[in-house]
Amino acid sequence: MSILVNLGGRLLPPEQALVPVLDRGFLYGDSVYEVLRTYAGVPFALSQHLDRLEGSASRIGLALPLRSLIETEIARTLSASGNADSYIRVMVTRGEGTFGLAPSLSDEPRLVILVRPLELPAPELYARGLHLAIVPVRRNDPRTLDPKAKTGNYLNSVLAIAQARAAGADDAIFLDLKDRITECSSANIFFVKESVVVTPPLTQGLLAGITRGRVIDVARAAKILVREEPHGTGALTQADEVFVTSTLREVMPVTRLTFLGESAPGPHAVGSGVPGPMALRLRELFRASVARGEMQ
Ligand code: PDD
């Protein structure tokens, strides 16, 4: 797999794309990032991703390079890659500085764009559905590092997926400090009860997933009832269906749940234990909307 890196405007293979150890992204995770994918070579929801990047940067007081420069560099890297479809990771660190936490010690932001051929989840995962573990580690409270900011500090998610994988699950579901479901390590979560689609509200402390927003829109356009409301884990065990959304997974069903740290951890089957019709329908509606060119 050939990865192409744009480091401060230079296009390089990854082994030559070196970031100094005094970069604050390396020292403190002091950076923001976005993950996009292309459909038919065109970045999906580029303006929404750049809006979210700006939102993340403003939450941590990081001054981004000009938006037009980021757009130009993404386009240049994509076209140099020659990929039919690409995974695109856009990262901006607060740059280098002398040791010390104060952001004022940094010089200027460093833009890094990483492009590689798009690799999608195995079709088998859509056919069998994911096994998710409700893990002991909790989602950051919004008063700590607000999960709405997509920063380079992803240790919360790293710990969650490590706990899930150690239990034999594919991914993790985070609870917040009030025992309410929030999201997965890198995806948003939904459940379905009696044909109503439910997902935690953004105010609870979770990333405003771009796929999440689009899925809500296509569902509502198809007259499917969608509610954004907080729920505990009981809602998942009683749900007819559970599914996750993200840029790479689109809409992926969940068929098994494990409750770590509880007396009967499971795995428990979700609904009838096989992927349900709503997840399939929403994936089709989502893909149809992309195919209609609703890219921005
Ligand atoms: N992750 N929640 C978290 C914590 C995420 O990291 C992501 C995305 C999502 C889904 O957002 P979107 O629909 O905009 O992809 C939800 C990306 C894919 C990543 O970090 O690789």
Side-chain angles (χ1 to χ4, degrees):
M1 170 200 317
S2 59
I3 300 176
L4 184 61
V5 184
N6 180 325
L7 178 60
R10 292 199 304 146
L11 297 178
L12 299 164
E15 59 277 12
Q16 288 171 29
L18 306 177
V19 173
V21 291
L22 289 185
D23 187 286
R24 296 173 62 95
F26 176 71
L27 289 175
Y28 310 121
D30 192 358
S31 63
V32 291
Y33 82 99
E34 280 296 316
V35 171
L36 297 83
R37 63 159 288 181
T38 64
Y39 287 90
V42 181
F44 176 65
L46 177 62
S47 63
Q48 268 181 284
H49 279 282
L50 293 180
D51 288 348
R52 190 168 69 185
L53 189 73
E54 288 171 2
S56 301
S58 97
R59 275 169 202 280
I60 66 163
L62 189 157
L64 288 180
L66 282 180
R67 185 171 174 126
S68 56
L69 174 90
I70 300 177
E71 283 168 346
T72 309
E73 293 302 321
I74 291 174
R76 207 161 67 81
T77 320
L78 267 184
S79 93
S81 77
N83 300 334
D85 268 310
S86 300
Y87 164 105
I88 309 162
R89 191 180 175 98
V90 182
M91 292 162 270
V92 183
T93 80
R94 211 188 294 268
E96 278 172 76
T98 47
F99 283 120
L101 288 176
S104 57
L105 295 171
S106 60
D107 51 14
E108 58 187 75
R110 170 172 277 119
L111 172 64
V112 183
I113 299 165
L114 198 148
V115 166
R116 67 165 154 78
L118 184 66
E119 268 183 37
L120 292 173
E124 190 248 334
L125 284 176
Y126 294 92
R128 76 152 159 88
L130 289 171
H131 172 194
L132 297 187
I134 292 87
V135 291
V137 64
R138 298 304 169 105
R139 196 69 178 122
N140 305 81
D141 184 274
R143 290 165 296 180
T144 61
L145 182 57
D146 193 333
K148 277 204 188 77
K150 197 163 171 60
T151 73
N153 191 322
Y154 246 53
L155 266 180
N156 196 222
S157 287
V158 170
L159 294 179
I161 201 162
Q163 291 179 340
R165 291 280 166 88
D170 298 304
D171 202 341
I173 299 176
F174 280 117
L175 303 182
D176 65 12
L177 297 176
K178 293 181 178 157
D179 296 336
R180 304 173 302 187
I181 52 177
T182 60
E183 62 180 329
C184 300
S185 67
S186 66
N188 292 107
I189 187 138
F190 290 72
F191 68 87
V192 182
K193 186 71 186 167
E194 285 156 8
S195 302
V196 179
V197 174
V198 185
T199 193
L202 297 179
T203 48
Q204 219 187 288
L206 48 114
L207 188 75
I210 286 158
T211 323
R212 173 190 182 281
R214 294 294 178 107
V215 165
I216 292 174
D217 290 347
V218 295
R220 288 187 172 147
K223 305 270 186 284
I224 296 166
L225 204 57
V226 183
R227 289 204 200 114
E228 294 176 77
E229 56 189 28
H231 282 276
T233 54
L236 294 179
T237 43
Q238 286 152 29
D240 303 323
E241 285 182 48
V242 176
F243 61 85
V244 301
T245 62
S246 79
T247 295
L248 298 178
R249 290 166 170 167
E250 298 178 327
V251 179
M252 189 180 278
V254 176
T255 47
R256 274 186 304 161
L257 295 171
T258 289
F259 293 80
L260 294 178
E262 295 200 6
S263 52
H268 302 271
V270 175
S272 51
V274 293
M278 186 65 89
L280 188 62
R281 181 159 178 226
L282 289 175
R283 184 163 184 233
E284 280 168 2
L285 288 170
F286 174 80
R287 303 205 92 188
S289 130
V290 174
R292 281 196 303 275
E294 291 164 13
M295 302 284 280
Q296 293 308 325

